[in-house]
Amino acid sequence: MSLPQSLPRVLTTEEIVPAMQRIINEYNTIRTLILQAITPTTATFSNVMLPLVQVENSVQGELGMIYMLQYGSPSLATQSAFDEARTLYLKASALWAADEEFFRLLQAAKEKPDFQTLDGESKHLLEKELLEYKHAGLGILGHAELEEYQKSQMEISDLERKFQQNLAREAGGLCFSLEELDGVPEDELAKWNDGPGEEEMINENHQQMKKFVPFANGGTFAVLTHAHSSETRKKMFLADNSKLKENKPLFEEIIKRRARQAQFLKYTTHAEFRIERRMAKTTSWVKGFLSQLQTTLCPYGRSEIAVLQNRRLEDLRASGQYSDHLEKMGFPPWEKRYYEQLVQREFEIDQLKISEFFPLERTATNMLGIFASLLGLRFDSIPAEKLIGDVVWHDTVRGFSVWDTKDDCFVGYLYFDLLWRENKYRGNQSVNIQCGYIRPDGSRQYPSTILMCSFPTPTPTSCALLKHHQVVTLFHGKYPPKWFIPHMGHLTRTKYRDGSWYP
């Protein structure tokens, strides 16, 4: 099987920083050439913005791969190299955003009469670039204030990096005896290591094995859903929600600094600063929308919690543990998943049995079949022998070439990176490696994107089975698609929907 376009190449640890330096040099070179040749009198979209975006097109694939490695690489050395490269890029970006001479060229290009003759995407591109300069303080802050603002932005970025790094590297959990874990399915227990010390002395004649249950990789979810002991569920919930204490001061400092930076630029709040880039343009509209949702949905939520509380109180009465005090305390959050599955079983809904119909690999592949029929696409699995060496970042990654069935033309590459692993980003997201665009010579660069999730790993003797909420996560959509619409909808999102720059 020959591939229509070379697969994106994964950089080695040693290549990351030099590649970033090369990318920065390319940007610096084109900006210098523009500044030398163009004045505000002669500035237009074609001689200021267009050369810049052509460089961006040429480097964004390599830049996207570098940024992907912060989420997907299992190597701490690679992630450290990314941190160094990211710092270089942030410093360079700060210098570009503080370049008042280039800012004046962009302003002059927008003020020219021919700006009104541009297509919508080109107008949007230039306006978006000007907004970047505005958010960097150009035209608002004086020179000294600008330096202070940019220094603080770099400090915030570093705090954000540390916060995310702590999340990705979190490896905590709790040790429980098998008695405390009564009710947890055997296949879950098999995934967990024996606890430190392995066995706890109960008395001279009896020893009790302990298991270390990690917060990540489905550990907390399994305990909260299946453990019969309310005390076990409570311990796990409270410990999971109080983990990463080192992130608390980071989070608080980030919030304070963001608010201060927004006020520096004459915004009332950080939300007001951020929303300028969004479709909803005012914070008051967002607050009204959320209030409307709250008014509509909260009564349904309270009625559902009441059902779970009644089921819990039945259990407490049956076990002789009921008290008025426990009822007045309301419904504890650590009981939600456990009583949800008990109530579901009363309706003969067994989530464990249902999950047997949704093995991860088959479900993900069949999801592609659904989208193929809806969108007129074909997803061809890339043979394993082509997904080796420097075109994959982990051996569990799968790849697909995507084709438009109407005229049998190639559309792009899609990767699946679906399983949890150490040092990997813990959320579910799409990661864009390469945007699609038309090169100056008229040829097309096709996009490449990743569906990156963190579904719990299987045991050595089983396959990964998806619970219902995980199937929803896999299918979940957020934005209208360009060429494919699974999780978060923006799997195939490019910077602009159609046109010359990012088709």
Side-chain angles (χ1 to χ4, degrees):
M1 174 186 177
S2 61
L3 298 175
Q5 175 181 283
S6 297
L7 293 168
R9 180 174 171 273
V10 181
L11 301 176
T12 65
T13 301
E14 295 74 21
E15 291 174 319
I16 291 173
V17 172
M20 184 62 83
Q21 291 170 331
R22 186 172 62 255
I23 289 169
I24 292 169
N25 287 339
E26 289 194 40
Y27 274 117
N28 285 337
T29 299
I30 192 61
R31 294 174 71 91
T32 299
L33 290 174
I34 292 170
L35 288 170
Q36 288 174 347
I38 309 300
T39 67
T41 303
T42 61
T44 65
F45 178 89
S46 296
N47 59 26
V48 178
M49 195 70 237
L50 179 56
L52 197 62
V53 80
Q54 287 174 338
V55 169
E56 182 176 349
N57 279 341
S58 68
V59 303
Q60 48 91 10
E62 196 168 32
L63 188 62
M65 182 61 76
I66 292 172
Y67 268 79
M68 182 282 295
L69 291 172
Q70 74 171 311
Y71 302 114
S73 174
S75 166
L76 292 180
T78 297
Q79 294 188 15
S80 294
F82 165 78
D83 290 340
E84 183 180 348
R86 177 178 179 269
T87 299
L88 292 174
Y89 191 72
L90 288 174
K91 288 180 178 179
S93 297
L95 291 174
W96 299 330
D99 189 339
E100 191 168 352
E101 188 177 356
F102 205 91
F103 176 56
R104 285 200 299 269
L105 291 182
L106 292 169
Q107 284 182 313
K110 184 176 184 296
E111 291 166 0
K112 292 289 168 45
D114 65 351
F115 175 77
Q116 300 303 325
T117 67
L118 295 174
D119 62 90
E121 289 189 33
S122 298
K123 287 181 180 179
H124 176 71
L125 184 63
L126 181 51
E127 288 169 345
K128 179 175 175 288
E129 189 73 10
L130 284 167
L131 183 60
E132 293 288 340
Y133 280 85
K134 176 187 174 184
H135 282 180
L138 265 294
I140 301 173
L141 304 177
H143 182 72
E145 290 177 315
L146 199 58
E147 285 189 355
E148 182 182 349
Y149 179 83
Q150 291 174 341
K151 179 175 179 290
S152 185
Q153 280 295 100
M154 291 291 295
E155 292 169 350
I156 291 172
S157 294
D158 192 52
L159 292 171
E160 291 169 343
R161 177 191 62 80
K162 291 175 182 176
F163 186 95
Q164 291 293 346
Q165 193 173 82
N166 289 340
L167 285 178
R169 298 179 185 180
E170 184 275 318
L174 291 180
C175 285
F176 291 107
S177 67
L178 294 181
E179 182 180 352
E180 290 173 307
L181 294 173
D182 182 42
V184 176
E186 288 294 330
D187 63 334
E188 296 288 351
L189 294 173
K191 293 195 299 187
W192 301 332
N193 295 324
D194 294 336
E198 295 193 1
E199 296 178 347
E200 179 184 82
M201 183 69 72
I202 304 301
N203 55 49
E204 291 184 0
N205 301 316
H206 180 65
Q207 288 181 323
Q208 189 169 32
M209 182 73 73
K210 283 202 167 190
K211 287 284 188 179
F212 176 75
V213 184
F215 298 131
N217 198 19
T220 295
F221 180 84
V223 169
L224 295 183
T225 304
H226 301 291
H228 293 325
S229 166
S230 178
E231 189 60 28
T232 298
R233 299 193 297 270
K234 179 179 179 179
K235 285 181 182 178
M236 194 69 185
F237 178 89
L238 294 178
D240 183 67
N241 280 272
S242 59
K243 66 189 177 188
L244 289 170
K245 289 183 172 62
E246 62 271 29
N247 269 2
K248 182 176 182 290
L250 294 176
F251 181 75
E252 291 173 344
E253 188 64 22
I254 289 168
I255 295 300
K256 290 176 186 176
R257 287 176 179 248
R258 283 177 173 176
R260 193 159 55 240
Q261 290 291 87
Q263 291 163 7
F264 229 147
L265 297 183
K266 319 304 181 194
Y267 294 93
T268 305
T269 63
H270 176 70
E272 186 179 292
F273 166 80
R274 292 288 293 179
I275 206 168
E276 199 167 10
R277 302 170 186 259
R278 302 294 188 257
M279 184 172 67
K281 292 303 180 186
T282 65
T283 55
S284 59
W285 185 91
V286 174
K287 289 176 182 177
F289 177 68
L290 293 176
S291 177
Q292 183 181 2
L293 287 179
Q294 182 179 25
T295 301
T296 304
L297 296 178
C298 281
Y300 293 101
R302 283 190 286 268
S303 64
E304 290 180 5
I305 291 297
V307 172
L308 301 181
Q309 174 71 331
N310 289 336
R311 182 65 178 79
R312 171 176 172 263
L313 295 177
E314 289 177 11
D315 269 6
L316 291 173
R317 291 188 182 97
S319 62
Q321 296 176 305
Y322 173 82
S323 71
D324 290 340
H325 173 68
L326 287 176
E327 182 172 0
K328 289 177 181 177
M329 283 178 61
F331 188 75
W334 53 84
E335 303 286 32
K336 180 176 180 289
R337 294 197 181 277
Y338 181 73
Y339 282 100
E340 277 180 340
Q341 61 96 10
L342 288 187
V343 170
Q344 288 172 354
R345 288 193 175 194
E346 291 174 0
F347 290 93
E348 299 184 349
I349 299 172
D350 188 331
Q351 293 291 349
L352 290 178
K353 291 292 183 183
I354 291 173
S355 70
E356 294 176 8
F357 291 89
F358 295 100
L360 174 59
E361 290 297 322
R362 183 189 298 174
T363 303
T365 302
N366 289 346
M367 177 187 71
L368 294 184
I370 293 173
F371 288 116
S373 63
L374 286 172
L375 302 175
L377 299 175
R378 186 178 80 247
F379 296 88
D380 292 344
S381 180
I382 298 173
E385 62 267 20
K386 291 191 178 293
L387 290 175
I388 57 175
D390 62 359
V391 297
V392 287
W393 51 98
H394 195 265
D395 57 13
T396 60
V397 174
R398 295 175 61 198
F400 302 86
S401 59
V402 187
W403 302 79
D404 186 335
T405 57
K406 184 177 180 180
D407 51 13
D408 200 36
C409 72
F410 178 61
V411 176
Y413 288 123
L414 168 67
Y415 295 88
F416 279 173
D417 184 358
L418 302 179
L419 291 173
W420 176 91
R421 59 178 173 269
E422 289 186 1
N423 303 322
K424 180 183 176 183
Y425 183 76
R426 299 297 170 85
N428 304 297
Q429 60 179 341
S430 70
V431 179
N432 196 40
I433 304 175
Q434 170 78 64
C435 293
Y437 64 93
I438 298 174
R439 302 184 183 97
D441 64 5
S443 62
R444 181 180 291 269
Q445 169 70 51
Y446 294 94
S448 300
T449 194
I450 310 166
L451 174 57
M452 187 176 286
C453 299
S454 196
F455 295 125
T457 54
T459 64
T461 58
S462 68
C463 64
L465 301 177
L466 296 180
K467 307 300 188 293
H468 177 262
H469 75 281
Q470 292 165 336
V471 176
V472 172
T473 295
L474 189 65
F475 275 80
H476 174 60
K478 184 177 179 183
Y479 293 111
K482 167 58 180 170
W483 53 275
F484 180 50
I485 52 173
H487 168 75
M488 303 297 275
H490 49 179
L491 254 182
T492 58
R493 180 185 177 199
T494 53
K495 292 196 176 181
Y496 297 101
R497 190 182 62 182
D498 290 299
S500 302
W501 319 126
Y502 301 93

